[in-house]
Amino acid sequence: VSGVFCWGAGAGQDVGRSCILVSIAGKNVMLDCGMHMGYNDDRRFPDFSYITQNGRLTDFLDCVIISHFHLDHCGALPYFSEMVGYDGPIYMTHPTKAICPILLEDYRKITVDKKGETNFFTSQMIKDCMKKVVAVHLHQTVQVDEELEIKAYYAGHVLGAAMFQIKVGCESVVYTGDYNMTPDRHLGAAWIDKCRPDLLITESTYATTIRDSKRCRERDFLKKVHETVERGGKVLIPVFALGRAQELCILLETFWERMNLKAPIYFSTGLTEKANHYYKLFITWTNQKIRKTFVQRNMFEFKHIKAFDRAFADNPGPMVVFATPGMLHAGQSLQIFRKWAGNEKNMVIMPGYCVQGTVGHKILSGQRKLEMEGRQILEVKMQVEYMSFSAHADAKGIMQLIRQAEPRNVLLVHGEAKKMEFLKQKIEQEFHVSCYMPANGETTTILTNPCIPVDISLGLLKRETAIGPLPDAKKPKLMHGTLLMKDNSFRLVSPEQALKELGLAEHQLRFTCRVHIQDPRKEHETVLRVYNHLKGILKDYSVQHLPDGSITVESILIQATAHSEDQGTKVLLVSWTYQDEELGSYLTSLLKKGLPQSTP
Amino acid sequence: FFQYCLSGHPTLPCNVLKFKSTTIMLDCGLDMTSTLNFLPLPLVQSPRLSKLPSWVLKDGSTFLDKELKECSGHVFVDSVPEFCLPETELLDLSTVDVILISNYHCMMALPYITEYTGFTGTVYATEPTVQIGRLLMEELVNSIERVPKAQSASMWKNKEVQRLLPAPLKDAVEVSMWRKCYTMPEVNSALSKIQLVGYSQKIELFGAVQVTPLSSGYALGSSNWIIQSHYEKVSYVSGSSLLTTHPQPMDQASLKNSDVLILTGLTQIPTANPDGMVGEFCSNLAMTVRNGGNVLVPCYPSGVIYDLLECLYQYIDSAGLSNVPFYFISPVANSSLEFSQIFAEWLCHNKQTKVYLPEPPFPHAELIQTNKLKHYPSIHGDFSNDFKQPCVVFTGHPSLRFGDVVHFMELWGKSSLNTVIFTEPDFSYLDALAPYQPLAMKCVYCPIDTRLNFIQVSKLLKEVQPLHVVCPEQYTQPPPTQSHRTDLMIDCQPPAMSYRRAEVLTLPYKRRYEKIEITPDLADSLVPLEIKPGISLATVSAVLHTKDNKHVLQLPPKPPQPPASKKRKRVSDDVPECKSLKPLLSGSIPVDQFVQTLEKHGFSDVKVEDTAKGHIVLLQEAETLIQLEEDSTHIICDNDEPLRVKLRDLVLKFLQKF
């Protein structure tokens, strides 16, 4: 009996920092290496001491897998590999490998250059860390070592996001990272095959939400933006440079085109153009519609959306600005927010989840007086709207994925405890599988019961498949063989072959039973009566009357002789081998009961 | 295990493999060399072509004069060009389960197979293969359909007539099988049957066979394929390259330990060095343009053209060609250039790194941006306004029988200032030029074929060590024109098995084992016994479940408990249901110990007699006789079941079960 051990260094019952350690059949794999955006101290990185107590990370871990480029999934990677120290392979998809270092560098700049923090990873560390990254294709089976293999599946969510299957022999785990089961304006839907893992580790950010249709949310969003712009207000949409931003840009671009609107739309930071470039070059990762039409019209070349300059924020009149970062915790979005917050004509639309501790989280939970740096109080008069555009699976989506993959156990991470509890019950009810939701630092053990692969000789397999009535191929067949175990190899062969390979001779065990029957008739007539009697009862067996006067039932031989002393008694000699034991024993007891009085 | 060979063209293969219970088609290449026998399809009425004299039989019969025309001593069929299809009669193609495509050049016959043979299976190919393959097909269909030709010649195909024709028409094979080009709806339908796969993706076929595409280094998305079960491995190597051009490098390591390696798609020009050819291409191009002439490059819309553009990107400034316009004319020129930039994952490392920056992986993006390279769907429209000479034109088709290239051959052929440079290796350039003779224009032959040459093949085979090599017959002998070059053939041990069109080959291996799984509870129930040092055995009696070609052994169900109430049973109720199998026995029974055991179990009148082969043990009172021999035991007794069972069990104690 073996098992899968799963330990969360960061994901647990909390949104904001994913890092999970999985042990499967002796292999240790770390899933994601995220940081918490709500903290500015040691708590922002996962606590790796649990792993380091076992010695060097490189010796302990077989590989690290990063699901996508969001910092709550990869933000601690340079710290982990360069500062704590890990030299083994790190796997991620090509787009993630391309974009991840840019976001890390961006984040490093905000933290170190702007906030002046020390004890943080450097640019060089990001570069050195990325050298350890091996890029993987979707559906490619990557052989990490001889036993451990991983495979990436499309996850939607953001460009390059992937779910990973981790497999050792018959045992497997699927880790979803963040995923989205409905296609949006720029990405497709997550998909996995019926891989039946022992354990499915799924995010549960929106565990209880069953969101209204995407179309409604989009209409709602456009209406709010339109109304604000119409009354001369400014709309701030805090986003991360890559991901939701592109989807909302496509949405506004087409709306502006259709409605012939004139108010300017800006996209902040120099990342924009670069970000759109990634989408153009990795267009195979977007949804079908965009992929099909990209030669004629590249959806990521925007006509109405222009680069933002800091000075524009003070321009009079309506405008829409996309600004980073998405949770209003720093940078340009926060600067603009401070400028516009005091005017009730303006609006801020939060299109995604905000981690606790961020300004975004505060205003969403209704706070209207914010304490800023230097004890300054900022009064928020602008309208605050929340629209769930972030591409996570909702409860319906999570259930759908479970239906697709058919896991034996489910483990929920990356969600809030209360919501997860609700989903856990739902999963257990509907799928009758065990569902776990460990807290940070808690280890979950799931027992697996893997089948044992064995080599079977083709002769034996063919022989056994041939036995029995052919039409009913579904009916299970009985098989008898000998399992030879030598070193670590298991071979199932026919008993004959086993004897031969071991240089042994077969020992034949034969029984001959004398059965006395009262029958005054001549011998051959007795034989005929016995024959008819057996033929009538043993319909499924081959019963034969041979020319030499004997009867065979399958390979059992029956001969009749007259009793030496009593002519009215016949002696039937029933002879069979040990292999026919059951039938032989049955025949003797049957014949002992005598023959029926009249023969039909 | 059989291989059906449906194509005789070594670089445009089409083989069908019967492997375990699956039927797998490996590539479906379309032999387009047949089109060389046809007259070119001009885009604009060509007085020269329409004035060509009819060909007349030696006896003066003129019944073929509508079908055959003569040009500079060569005879051409005046008809819509036709292609030589893979063999369709050798086996029932509707039984093909899957088609594996190795690269976009080797899928051009796909619509003929999927749309006309009752094929209902799945086609597997990588995304670049499908996208670029679609472009190649689109270009082909487009360039033939836009020149409607009323005439479709068929009389010349009559066997009796064909005999009388001059070479090469006389020797053309399977002319009755030649077919006109497919249509776009057929292309779309064929492509809709493709399932996209990635390198190193393991694809299960019916649970019996696993197929995996591997990078072959030849073109965007080009693959070799591994076809394997648990015990046998066939590698299909088709169109591979070890040169560093734009595609991801070839994955050689995964080809190791193959039982059979099928080798196709080697270089068609084994004597030419691709790098040298690229150099010659550039210098000839520069020389012509400097002298005020135009350069025509007949090419496919994807593949080597990317490399040529990249070379020119580095070359034009130093060669003083910055002001010379480069035109790329094809209905799919724009798509091809765009598509080349979005397959980062399928590119070589250097190009991948550029995408991470993010920059377009191919420099032709910059050539387009700076207006040095312009692309047009055809010579009509914008092109005629922008057209400036001297210039360089890349356009198709390399056979010079259809596409915009025909127009430029007619336009530029008369001047010796101009040059046509052949870079594609698929067609003999002399044959391609034949219907344009006499020609004043210069002709330069710089075939660039990056596929494996024989030196690389022998290195590869040494490296991956397959047990058997299978290849087209052309590779087992030197090229017919260079019969002394014994280095231009495959040299391996054991000698490669060769095949030719319409042949069925039996692949040499026999498998003896299959994978089966034992459930944990069955495994727990087994009682292993060490029979020799290091070797243990256990008898297994189990129920075999087979589903989707996967076998699982489970604990047999417990026999149902007899019902408690004792109703009167019919005799037949007792008949043993299925033959429950008893193990084989082995060992021998030492007579002394056996007798002792009998006595211990209450038999007091045991008598032993010696026989020639062993002993007879007599139980006098029970009138029972037990013959003991080296390898057999025979118990002869009255019908006393308890006694017999007791004796049986005592005997079994001495024996080993198997």
Side-chain angles (χ1 to χ4, degrees), chain A residues 94-95 97-98 102 135-143 149 151 170 274 277-278 280-285 291 294-296 449-459 461-462 464-465 467 473-487 491-493 495-499 501-516 537-538 541 554 575-576 578-583 585-586 588-590 592-593, chain B residues 127 196 198-202 231 248 334-335 338-339 341-346 349 352 354-361 511-520 523 526 528-529 531-532 534-546 551-553 556 571-572 574-589 622-624 629-641 644-645 648 651-652 655 657-658:
Chain A
H94 283 270
K97 188 183 172 188
I102 291 169
V136 300
H137 286 250
L138 280 183
H139 302 165
Q140 171 191 7
T141 302
V142 180
Q143 213 72 46
E149 58 181 49
K151 179 177 176 182
C170 302
K274 219 172 165 184
H277 225 93
Y278 281 113
K280 283 189 220 163
L281 292 173
F282 284 110
I283 208 126
T284 55
W285 284 80
R291 265 156 50 192
F294 91 103
V295 176
Q296 291 78 45
N449 215 355
C451 286
I452 298 145
V454 160
D455 295 342
I456 184 170
S457 85
L458 210 58
L461 184 68
K462 288 234 167 105
E464 299 312 327
T465 5
I467 288 180
K474 275 181 198 152
K475 213 175 160 190
K477 292 142 204 154
L478 206 63
M479 142 168 309
H480 178 79
T482 303
L483 187 64
L484 288 174
M485 287 162 276
K486 191 181 169 187
D487 303 327
R491 283 187 306 131
L492 187 61
V493 298
E496 293 87 348
Q497 191 181 339
L499 282 175
E501 283 191 24
L502 295 168
L504 299 173
E506 188 193 342
H507 188 104
Q508 262 229 356
L509 175 57
R510 178 167 278 282
F511 306 95
T512 302
C513 260
R514 296 184 289 264
V515 184
H516 298 261
I537 291 173
L538 299 166
Y541 291 82
E554 301 288 328
S575 181
W576 70 93
Y578 176 64
Q579 280 67 39
D580 288 319
E581 175 71 359
E582 241 115 280
L583 188 60
S585 159
Y586 167 76
T588 52
S589 62
L590 179 70
K592 201 177 180 181
K593 289 180 191 148
Chain B
E127 185 166 7
L196 299 183
Y199 288 150
S200 303
Q201 179 176 348
K202 293 177 177 170
Y231 295 96
Q248 215 182 87
N334 185 26
S335 298
E338 289 285 339
F339 270 114
Q341 307 285 21
I342 66 159
F343 292 125
E345 288 144 287
W346 309 87
H349 183 258
Q352 250 172 32
K354 286 190 90 177
V355 174
Y356 290 170
L357 290 177
E359 274 170 27
R511 86 207 152 88
R512 290 170 46 220
Y513 284 94
E514 179 67 89
K515 220 40 160 197
I516 197 166
E517 283 186 351
I518 292 184
T519 58
L526 298 179
L529 191 106
I531 193 101
K532 284 183 179 175
I535 303 177
S536 302
L537 65 82
T539 56
V540 180
S541 277
V543 174
L544 174 69
H545 286 267
T546 299
H551 313 289
V552 179
L553 277 182
V571 218
S572 57
D574 287 339
V575 179
E577 240 203 35
C578 62
K579 296 171 278 181
S580 71
L581 290 147
K582 287 276 185 232
L584 292 186
L585 304 171
S586 180
S588 58
I589 300 170
E623 284 189 54
T624 295
E629 288 178 9
E630 176 72 31
D631 287 323
S632 69
T633 300
H634 193 170
I635 300 173
I636 302 158
C637 62
D638 269 338
N639 191 4
D640 179 350
E641 189 67 1
R644 187 188 69 83
V645 168
R648 178 195 72 191
V651 167
L652 287 177
L655 297 173
K657 290 179 183 181
F658 277 81

Side-chain angles (χ1 to χ4, degrees), chain A residues 273-324:
Chain A
E273 212 181 333
K274 219 172 165 184
N276 290 341
H277 225 93
Y278 281 113
Y279 279 84
K280 283 189 220 163
L281 292 173
F282 284 110
I283 208 126
T284 55
W285 284 80
T286 60
N287 72 27
Q288 250 197 326
K289 197 182 150 198
I290 294 182
R291 265 156 50 192
K292 268 197 163 159
T293 56
F294 91 103
V295 176
Q296 291 78 45
R297 173 148 197 256
N298 198 318
M299 287 297 267
F300 298 103
E301 272 160 25
F302 301 115
K303 242 170 47 189
H304 296 272
I305 302 171
K306 302 199 173 58
F308 182 74
D309 186 296
R310 195 180 296 209
F312 293 172
D314 299 319
N315 284 0
M319 69 174 82
V320 180
V321 176
F322 288 96
T324 56

Side-chain angles (χ1 to χ4, degrees), chain B residues 258-422:
Chain B
S258 303
D259 297 292
V260 173
L261 187 138
I262 304 171
L263 188 61
T264 65
L266 303 185
T267 177
Q268 302 187 74
I269 322 287
T271 48
N273 166 10
D275 282 333
M277 287 296 138
V278 171
E280 253 181 69
F281 167 82
C282 287
S283 60
N284 276 293
L285 181 143
M287 202 151 65
T288 304
V289 176
R290 270 190 221 116
N291 292 334
N294 301 295
V295 176
L296 179 62
V297 188
C299 62
Y300 293 114
S302 177
V304 174
I305 185 171
Y306 303 144
D307 299 319
L308 291 179
L309 288 174
E310 184 153 0
C311 285
L312 289 172
Y313 168 80
Q314 290 154 2
Y315 182 73
I316 45 180
D317 287 330
S318 64
L321 301 176
S322 340
N323 296 319
V324 179
F326 288 77
Y327 301 118
F328 177 17
I329 303 170
S330 160
V332 298
N334 185 26
S335 298
S336 166
L337 293 171
E338 289 285 339
F339 270 114
S340 67
Q341 307 285 21
I342 66 159
F343 292 125
E345 288 144 287
W346 309 87
L347 294 172
C348 64
H349 183 258
N350 276 347
K351 296 225 175 304
Q352 250 172 32
T353 318
K354 286 190 90 177
V355 174
Y356 290 170
L357 290 177
E359 274 170 27
F362 285 97
H364 53 241
E366 203 185 312
L367 287 177
I368 295 168
Q369 226 167 29
T370 53
N371 264 328
K372 283 178 182 149
L373 173 67
K374 292 182 180 187
H375 53 83
Y376 302 89
S378 85
I379 52 163
H380 301 296
D382 289 346
F383 176 71
S384 39
N385 303 327
D386 300 353
F387 182 40
K388 279 192 198 75
Q389 305 192 62
C391 64
V392 179
V393 169
F394 294 88
T395 189
H397 185 272
S399 65
L400 305 189
R401 291 303 179 272
F402 43 85
D404 298 275
V405 74
V406 176
H407 175 76
F408 289 100
M409 282 305 295
E410 294 288 333
L411 186 71
W412 291 343
K414 289 163 228 124
S415 164
S416 60
L417 281 179
N418 303 327
T419 307
V420 54
I421 309 181
F422 291 88

